[in-house]
């Protein structure tokens, strides 16, 4: 089995009003010797904004803002901006996040050229009811029976005057264009799906999504396979390009006597056709082990969302028990060798 080092907690919540309930699930991007972390900061009442911290090297805090770098501004994010991820493509930072309006959780996009000023582009995933989703997805093929359990909202169609939609979270862009087009992952439980090549985000129209769902099974990127991910899975960190393929660090969830357990997992996909899975670890890369991962706002959670490479060391930043930010590291070449030895 691959050897993973738990580096420990690097960011705790503070008494500042915007992050006094928790800090978790950071986006991470390396530039020179610095790592920029944009993290979910939770205030009283479970309202989230985006905090900012800069590390010197992979672990040492150099700057930490005392105010959020991004706050909710629009109705679709009125209850929070959650779980950011970030990539840089052709000089532009693309930050995806989950917007929560108190009823629905949907993937959004914001862009920046300086990591200070962001332009919000709005919701980029489909805004579709469960009934609409079900009708489209079953037109040409059947969908996994677990979709019924995870997405039908127990038959509730509206809450607080807001129409209930299928939750579509964990939107994560590939860090470069493939054949000149954007690719990104997204997640409607229990599987992770992929959008294969768009020229611009304005192309994600209702008509686009209607055609997408008519061939829904063609876009399933990751499906639960092993015991540690058997309940459901979803995206984690942005893909990391390696000679062997796209390294995907994702999260897998299994049910236990103490509730759901969230683990960090790893897989490898083809560089030019990311729908082709090359290999997957048959066991968790790492899972809750220490008290700060086992007990918190949500117990038994290691939720990876950002990763950077220093020399041959991969540093993975993750939310620990939905209350604090921790880091784990692994030798990159060793991980790739282990994945290649588990080829499909």
């Amino acid at each position: 089995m691959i050897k993973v080092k738990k580096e420990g907690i690097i960011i705790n919540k503070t008494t500042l009003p915007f992050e006094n309930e928790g800090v978790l699930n950071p986006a991470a991007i390396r530039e020179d010797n610095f790592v920029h972390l944009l993290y979910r900061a939770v205030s009283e009442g479970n309202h989230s904004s985006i905090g900012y911290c800069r590390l010197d090297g992979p672990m040492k805090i150099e700057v930490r803002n005392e105010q959020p770098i991004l706050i909710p501004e629009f109705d679709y994010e009125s209850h929070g901006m959650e779980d950011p991820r970030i990539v840089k493509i052709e000089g532009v930072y693309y930050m995806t996040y989950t917007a929560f309006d108190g009823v629905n959780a949907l993937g959004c996009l914001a862009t920046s050229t300086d990591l200070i000023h962001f332009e919000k582009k709005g919701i980029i995933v489909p805004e579709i009811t469960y009934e609409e989703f079900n009708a489209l997805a079953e037109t040409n093929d059947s969908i996994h029976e677990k979709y019924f359990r995870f997405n039908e909202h127990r038959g509730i169609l509206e809450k607080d005057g807001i129409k209930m939609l299928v939750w579509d979270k964990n939107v994560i862009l590939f860090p470069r264009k493939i054949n000149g087009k954007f690719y990104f992952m997204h997640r409607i439980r229990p599987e992770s799906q992929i959008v294969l090549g768009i020229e611009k985000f304005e192309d994600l129209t209702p008509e686009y999504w209607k055609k997408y769902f008519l061939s829904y099974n063609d876009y399933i990127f990751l499906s639960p396979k092993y015991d540690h991910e058997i309940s459901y899975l979803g995206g984690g960190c942005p893909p990391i390009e390696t000679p062997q393929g796209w390294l995907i660090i994702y999260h897998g969830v299994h049910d236990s006597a103490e509730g759901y357990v969230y683990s960090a997992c790893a897989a490898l996909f083809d560089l030019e056709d990311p729908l082709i899975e090359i290999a997957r670890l048959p066991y968790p890369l790492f899972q809750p082990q220490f008290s700060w991962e086992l007990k918190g706002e949500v117990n038994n959670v290691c939720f990876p969302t950002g990763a950077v490479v220093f020399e041959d060391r991969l540093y993975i930043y993750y939310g620990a028990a939905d209350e604090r930010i921790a880091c784990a590291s692994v030798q990159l070449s060793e991980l790739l060798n282990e994945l290649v030895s588990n080829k499909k």
Side-chain angles (χ1 to χ4, degrees), residues 1-5 228 263-266 281-287 289 329-331 333-339 341-342:
M1 292 181 66
I2 194 76
K3 184 178 180 180
V4 176
K5 179 183 178 183
H228 61 276
S263 301
C265 312
L281 283 188
Y283 55 84
L285 181 60
F286 60 89
Q287 56 191 335
Q289 174 187 7
S329 70
V330 60
Q331 187 175 339
S333 57
E334 185 181 350
L335 174 57
L336 293 172
N337 289 337
E338 180 75 355
L339 279 164
S341 71
N342 284 280

Side-chain angles (χ1 to χ4, degrees), residues 13-23 40-49 78-80 297:
K13 63 184 179 181
T14 70
T15 57
L16 294 170
F18 81 100
E19 60 179 17
N20 58 2
E21 288 293 314
V23 293
R40 178 180 172 186
V42 186
S43 64
E44 189 174 350
N46 194 32
H47 289 255
S48 299
S49 58
S78 59
H79 281 242
E297 186 65 29

Side-chain angles (χ1 to χ4, degrees), residues 87-90 173-177 183 238-241 246:
V87 299
K88 190 178 185 180
I89 304 173
E90 298 174 357
L173 270 68
F174 282 70
R176 67 164 171 86
K177 293 180 180 178
Y183 280 54
I240 298 164
E241 188 171 4
W246 292 110

